[in-house]
Amino acid sequence: MGKLNLKPAIYVILIILILPSIIGDVTSYFGYHNKEDVRAKMKSHLYQKYGKEFMVDRIGTRSSRGQVFYQARIYPKAIIGSKKQWDDYYYASATVDKLSYGRLGEVGDSYSYVARNIDLEKYLLPQVKSQFGERVLLKVDVEHKVTGDGSWWAGYKSKSLKEMRKEVNNDPEHNRIELNLDVYVFDRIENQTEKEKRRKDIFEFVQYLKDEGFFEYLELGIIFVDERVLAPSYEDFKYEIKNTYQVKEEIDEKEVVLPPMKLRKEFSKKLQKEIDEMSQKELVEKINQIKKSNANNLIENNGQKATYIYSWGMIKEKYSSSIEDRDRNRDYSKLKHVRLGNNLKYIYKN
């Protein structure tokens, strides 16, 4: 009787044993899902969490520490067609892990930060308008920080002012609010009397923030922007300023580089005429068209005066290397603590 040839049987057994692994690797690589599966899962998660429909686009894959995941840009469907569309201030991201065998993990998102900023902006806006007038623009960046033992603080994804305040009130030792707030006031200051009034407005607003519990970790900018930036011909002016030659001038005993005086006077007069012909409603509508993500670009040549206020807690947290003795004593309990400085690159000539 001849010997049995066991090789074919062994091969079959080996194939049976390794086939699931091969199939798993293949399906893990190719997946049972496509971008529409990812989009659907993210949309479902966002609707359940925030109670509204979201747009999910720019879906792509990323990897971190060996884990591959999908990442997408997200924003509420409701902002389509509004001035908020294309403004990065209102956009966030969502991620979902790409698991083995074509499965998708749990969805995570960063829209809670956007929602929290919007919530606080709505809360602060009435007081800001009461203090500084209707022609204002707010840019809010608020963080809810948590800690274990106080040696480190990490961001927490609370999605509303109410939720954030509840956590802070229940456990202030392990929760805190850090607020970075910029207030753009579209109204230039004409004389010393107006300047003193605005200093008082700023002081009173800081006291309001103290009463509301937003001062302990606060970084506040109040920027007075020349309203001529709202004039219809401003974009033409901006283009000429950008492309013209610059000249040296001495302002407040400092040398700065500015566009030629003739051009500055010409456009200042022209833009002022246009502003005089606009109603308050038209000016406010123009402010509402400004993208918050680009608001800081208005300051360099259009900002007339500004103050930047830092609480002692924020200085220690973020700017400890630049602490000065005066910072320890400036708690903004007195009007004299509020300073309103000039922007040396302000280009308008009345």
Side-chain angles (χ1 to χ4, degrees):
M1 188 173 180
K3 292 183 178 180
L4 293 174
N5 186 359
L6 298 178
K7 286 186 178 180
I10 293 173
Y11 291 152
V12 170
I13 293 171
L14 288 173
I15 290 172
I16 291 172
L17 290 173
I18 67 174
L19 187 59
S21 178
I22 293 173
I23 293 173
D25 290 341
V26 171
T27 55
S28 176
Y29 183 79
F30 292 102
Y32 291 116
H33 47 74
N34 54 32
K35 287 186 178 181
E36 291 309 312
D37 296 323
V38 174
R39 194 189 320 275
K41 188 173 181 70
M42 288 181 173
K43 281 188 171 185
S44 175
H45 161 84
L46 294 166
Y47 186 82
Q48 290 177 27
K49 185 175 180 179
Y50 299 104
K52 53 187 174 184
E53 292 187 48
F54 276 75
M55 301 301 294
V56 178
D57 61 16
R58 299 185 183 180
I59 300 172
T61 55
R62 304 283 189 275
S63 64
S64 177
R65 298 179 181 178
Q67 175 63 56
V68 179
F69 59 92
Y70 288 101
Q71 181 171 299
R73 183 179 69 168
I74 60 173
Y75 55 96
K77 187 176 181 180
I79 73 172
I80 295 176
S82 73
K83 67 104 178 178
K84 296 178 181 179
Q85 190 176 11
W86 313 119
D87 188 344
D88 290 342
Y89 184 81
Y90 298 98
Y91 287 64
S93 63
T95 59
V96 59
D97 285 343
K98 187 178 182 182
L99 305 179
S100 59
Y101 304 106
R103 296 172 299 145
L104 292 172
E106 295 298 316
V107 177
D109 73 273
S110 62
Y111 189 76
S112 55
Y113 299 110
V114 178
R116 195 168 58 205
N117 288 343
I118 294 172
D119 201 25
L120 183 54
E121 179 184 334
K122 289 179 180 178
Y123 186 83
L124 295 175
L125 189 57
Q127 182 64 31
V128 171
K129 287 185 174 182
S130 173
Q131 207 74 60
F132 299 103
E134 291 292 319
R135 300 205 302 253
V136 293
L137 179 72
L138 269 66
K139 188 174 180 181
V140 177
D141 183 7
V142 61
E143 292 188 83
H144 175 189
K145 291 289 189 70
V146 297
T147 186
D149 58 7
S151 62
W152 53 267
W153 290 82
Y156 182 74
K157 290 187 176 182
S158 54
K159 61 180 184 291
S160 68
L161 174 60
K162 182 179 179 180
E163 181 183 341
M164 184 168 55
R165 275 185 153 172
K166 181 180 178 181
E167 295 294 331
V168 173
N169 290 335
N170 288 343
D171 188 4
E173 186 177 343
H174 297 96
N175 292 266
R176 73 186 188 203
I177 296 172
E178 293 184 10
L179 175 59
N180 188 332
L181 173 64
D182 287 331
V183 179
Y184 299 87
V185 183
F186 293 82
D187 183 26
R188 68 181 182 271
I189 297 170
E190 300 282 8
N191 51 50
Q192 189 63 28
T193 301
E194 288 187 11
K195 180 179 178 180
E196 290 308 306
K197 179 187 180 304
R198 288 308 196 180
R199 285 182 62 242
K200 186 178 179 182
D201 289 338
I202 294 167
F203 175 76
E204 291 176 354
F205 182 62
V206 171
Q207 306 317 303
Y208 163 78
L209 293 176
K210 286 184 178 182
D211 293 341
E212 291 290 333
F214 297 128
F215 182 78
E216 188 173 358
Y217 293 92
L218 173 69
E219 186 170 343
L220 171 66
I222 307 285
I223 304 101
F224 291 88
V225 180
D226 196 299
E227 63 268 29
R228 282 172 280 195
V229 75
L230 306 173
S233 297
Y234 168 72
E235 290 299 322
D236 297 332
F237 179 38
K238 185 173 73 171
Y239 179 80
E240 284 210 40
I241 290 294
K242 182 180 179 181
N243 290 282
T244 192
Y245 66 94
Q246 305 284 301
V247 296
K248 292 181 180 179
E249 285 193 32
E250 187 174 296
I251 300 176
D252 293 346
E253 299 182 349
K254 293 183 180 180
E255 189 178 89
V256 294
V257 178
L258 293 168
M261 183 64 73
K262 182 180 179 181
L263 178 63
R264 292 164 60 195
K265 286 183 176 180
E266 175 188 337
F267 269 95
S268 295
K269 184 177 180 180
K270 180 180 179 181
L271 297 182
Q272 183 61 55
K273 185 176 184 299
E274 293 180 359
I275 287 294
D276 291 341
E277 294 172 353
M278 295 174 71
S279 66
Q280 176 80 336
K281 182 180 178 181
E282 289 173 323
L283 292 170
V284 172
E285 287 177 351
K286 200 70 184 291
I287 292 169
N288 290 336
Q289 293 172 14
I290 297 171
K291 292 182 179 180
K292 291 182 186 290
S293 54
N294 295 338
N296 203 48
N297 297 339
L298 296 172
I299 297 176
E300 183 177 9
N301 293 135
N302 304 293
Q304 183 198 21
K305 297 181 185 295
T307 186
Y308 294 93
I309 291 171
Y310 303 87
S311 68
W312 178 239
M314 190 64 91
I315 291 174
K316 289 192 297 181
E317 182 68 20
K318 292 188 176 181
Y319 307 103
S320 58
S321 62
S322 59
I323 291 177
E324 298 180 7
D325 289 339
R326 65 182 183 182
D327 295 322
R328 302 177 189 275
N329 301 318
R330 192 185 299 167
D331 60 0
Y332 297 93
S333 60
K334 301 175 182 178
L335 179 58
K336 69 178 183 179
H337 292 163
V338 176
R339 298 180 179 181
L340 195 53
N342 297 323
N343 174 18
L344 301 185
K345 300 206 73 175
Y346 175 67
I347 57 177
Y348 297 91
K349 298 301 293 184
N350 295 338

